[in-house]
Amino acid sequence: MSEPTAEQLQSWDRSLVWHAFTQMAQYEPMIFERAEGCVLIDIHGNRYIDGVSSLWCNVHGHRHPKLDAALREQLDRVAHVTSLGASNPTTIKLARRLVDLAPPDLAHVFFSDDGATAVEVALKMAFQYWQQRPGPRPEKTGYVALGEAYHGDTLGAVSVGGVERFHAMFRPLLFEPLRLPVPNPYRMPEGVSAENLTAYHLDQLDNLLAEHHGRIAAMVIEPLVQAAAGMIVHPPGYLRGVRELTRKYDVLLIADEVAVGMGRTGKMFACEHEDVTPDLLCLAKGLTGGYLPLAATLATDEIWQAFLGDYAESKSFFHGHTFGGNPLGAAVALATLDVFDEERTLETLQPKIARLAEHLARIAQLPHVGHVRQCGMIAGIELVRDRATKEPYPWAERRGQQVCDHALSEGVWLRPLGNVVVILPPLAIATEQLDQICNAVRRGVENVE
Ligand SMILES: *Cc1c(COP(=O)(O)O)cnc(C)c1O
């Protein structure tokens, strides 16, 4: 077959490839062929700064020499080994590194291949734990989840998800968790202020657990930032309070760090900001530096112990994904962790986080910006029709997309969440590139009205 032309690629991309979260009737092909560091290059040779880390997963930039070399080295050994009753040195070494790095007590690693699968694993482990631990509590089968939560697109993950626009359609297929409202400092319930927002939401959780804890297996949360909800940053102390209450009521805590883990918030794991150790911790996206699909669910020894027994007792975790723990993914994950050390990524990130804050303060002054929020290298800019009433733009007007369209014309590639413009560059972003992203966004927001 001869090489397709750019026109052919575009035509096939429109008609053959069914893109995720994309209205294919209106899809405009955006075909990236190569990358250099934090820059993506399309098939026409146009260069764009990767302003959203190729959907929240790139960490050290694209084509990092260390990461590329680690992959090539692993290829010279073996590309895939199953994790069903077998192993390989690279995956074992990654488990060792993750356990050493993670918050204390997380001592075992179950590998899968995506964020959604990491969450499925955690949900099912929590369920099975209560069925078969010493002193079983088989009636603990329910879950607590937050409004606007996003945990992936498989049915278990969608069940605990709460983004109406994505999830309502599938309701008949789902199980129902107990749901609490998202703690959102921008849209607080009546009578609640910034001072008592944390206490208000923790009271609600306390009341819910007081009544229902006997039938709840676990609470699942995106620690600090609910990403897909629009980068909503929880008020300080909320995560810590959730940990205290779930302990008090004997409910497991699942921390979904798929988006916020791997340095994104300025610390390796978001839970570290509030000295929290969850019972189960989910990682994916940045785990491989954004190179390959690999996910991990870390569990405490207490959970692990409940699955041990004689084969005939049937206590095994009967769950697996063909490519879980794939050695290529593990090799590039190990290299990703090495680069964190060698390039002192978390240290050099701090001034960039401060720089992002300066830009956001300026953007916050613009007339149709209702709220700006930031946690580490995550920023959300919520556009509203009316600042005084916080009245949102109708989602179909695609205001966020308009800003991103403008940014594209300045060589910056972004993808919004409805009316929220997201800035989430690779941690390796250069300060000048960060400035370019933020300036393009600012001009885009100015242009919207
Ligand atoms: C992206 C995301 C997921 C899903 O990860 P996939 O790899 O797309 O399945 C789960 N949880 C959170 C918090 C996410 O941001």
Side-chain angles (χ1 to χ4, degrees):
M1 196 166 88
S2 61
E3 271 303 302
T5 62
E7 288 65 38
Q8 270 173 325
L9 287 173
Q10 285 170 322
S11 154
W12 295 348
D13 191 33
R14 261 200 208 94
S15 58
L16 308 182
V17 183
W18 196 333
H19 288 270
F21 284 95
T22 300
Q23 176 42 259
M24 291 311 298
Q26 295 174 346
Y27 171 64
E28 279 304 323
M30 183 79 217
I31 311 176
F32 298 120
E33 185 176 50
R34 289 179 297 129
E36 286 170 14
C38 298
V39 172
L40 301 166
I41 304 165
D42 74 10
I43 49 171
H44 309 290
N46 298 313
R47 301 168 68 89
Y48 304 95
I49 300 176
D50 185 354
V52 287
S53 300
S54 290
L55 256 299
W56 317 348
C57 62
N58 192 279
V59 177
H60 299 306
H62 300 270
R63 286 178 55 206
H64 191 289
K66 283 262 169 175
L67 274 60
D68 292 9
L71 261 177
R72 292 195 180 100
E73 266 173 46
Q74 181 60 44
L75 266 178
D76 285 336
R77 296 198 190 94
V78 61
H80 182 59
V81 170
T82 182
S83 71
L84 280 67
S87 200
N88 78 93
T90 312
T91 308
I92 297 167
K93 282 191 265 179
L94 178 60
R96 175 77 262 165
R97 285 287 286 277
L98 288 176
V99 166
D100 290 346
L101 263 179
D105 303 332
L106 293 166
H108 308 276
V109 189
F110 189 99
F111 287 108
S112 61
D113 39 28
D114 273 291
T117 57
V119 171
E120 296 288 338
V121 166
L123 294 172
K124 288 175 72 179
M125 271 183 183
F127 180 95
Q128 193 172 337
Y129 163 80
W130 292 108
Q131 303 299 308
Q132 62 192 35
R133 70 165 197 165
R137 305 273 307 272
E139 67 291 351
K140 280 168 85 72
T141 58
Y143 298 88
V144 175
L146 295 181
E148 310 286 323
Y150 179 81
H151 299 290
D153 292 322
T154 55
L155 289 177
V158 171
S159 292
V160 288
V163 182
E164 274 310 294
R165 261 191 2 94
F166 306 160
H167 296 158
M169 160 72 77
F170 300 108
R171 191 118 303 141
L173 301 176
L174 309 176
F175 63 79
E176 279 289 326
L178 295 174
R179 184 83 61 189
L180 285 167
V182 47
N184 181 349
Y186 180 51
R187 297 178 186 281
M188 292 184 283
E190 255 204 320
V192 179
S193 66
E195 289 68 45
N196 63 5
L197 182 63
T198 300
Y200 169 85
H201 282 284
L202 290 176
D203 268 354
Q204 287 206 335
L205 176 60
D206 200 344
N207 295 337
L208 183 102
L209 291 182
E211 188 178 345
H212 297 290
H213 67 93
R215 61 186 185 87
I216 300 298
M219 175 166 179
V220 54
I221 186 173
E222 294 165 79
L224 301 196
V225 184
Q226 288 190 221
M231 303 301 161
I232 293 173
V233 181
H234 292 162
Y238 181 70
L239 177 63
R240 170 143 267 264
V242 166
R243 176 67 281 191
E244 282 162 9
L245 288 169
T246 47
R247 272 236 165 85
K248 170 176 166 193
Y249 288 108
D250 222 359
V251 163
L252 297 177
L253 180 62
I254 300 171
D256 176 355
E257 293 223 18
V258 169
V260 294
M262 306 309 293
R264 186 47 64 185
T265 65
K267 293 187 188 282
M268 189 57 87
F269 304 108
C271 283
E272 291 174 35
H273 288 272
E274 304 211 348
D275 284 323
V276 159
T277 295
D279 300 284
L280 292 152
L281 175 80
C282 305
L283 297 173
K285 290 200 171 98
L287 179 58
T288 58
Y291 265 50
L292 284 175
L294 181 74
T297 305
L298 279 72
T300 59
D301 196 54
E302 187 177 339
I303 292 176
W304 158 275
Q305 290 291 338
F307 288 74
L308 302 183
D310 189 72
Y311 179 74
E313 287 180 84
S314 236
K315 284 182 166 181
S316 315
F317 188 46
F318 289 108
H319 184 109
H321 298 276
T322 300
F323 289 106
N326 172 271
L328 288 172
V332 75
L334 277 169
T336 297
L337 294 174
D338 286 342
V339 172
F340 266 102
D341 292 338
E342 288 161 19
E343 298 185 1
R344 301 188 357 266
T345 303
L346 293 179
E347 254 174 83
T348 56
L349 192 60
Q350 301 311 319
K352 296 185 229 177
I353 292 172
R355 184 83 175 184
L356 178 58
E358 286 167 26
H359 280 288
L360 290 173
R362 188 159 170 212
I363 291 170
Q365 307 301 318
L366 300 176
H368 285 277
V369 174
H371 192 225
V372 300
R373 40 200 178 243
Q374 180 190 8
C375 178
M377 223 31 165
I378 301 175
I381 298 156
E382 183 168 340
L383 305 173
V384 290
R385 178 182 270 166
D386 186 329
R387 254 181 124 163
T389 63
K390 304 184 182 180
E391 183 196 345
Y393 283 114
W395 64 268
E397 288 185 14
R398 307 191 72 196
R399 297 288 172 160
Q401 186 59 52
Q402 289 173 22
V403 174
C404 297
D405 289 345
H406 171 85
L408 197 69
S409 76
E410 293 197 26
V412 171
W413 181 67
L414 299 166
R415 184 171 163 92
L417 291 160
N419 293 322
V420 178
V421 180
V422 173
I423 301 176
L424 202 148
L427 306 188
I429 195 86
T431 305
E432 310 79 70
Q433 292 173 319
L434 183 60
D435 290 347
Q436 269 176 275
I437 297 171
C438 294
N439 290 334
V441 165
R442 181 172 44 77
R443 285 188 283 265
V445 173
E446 283 166 356
N447 281 354
V448 158
E449 280 304 300

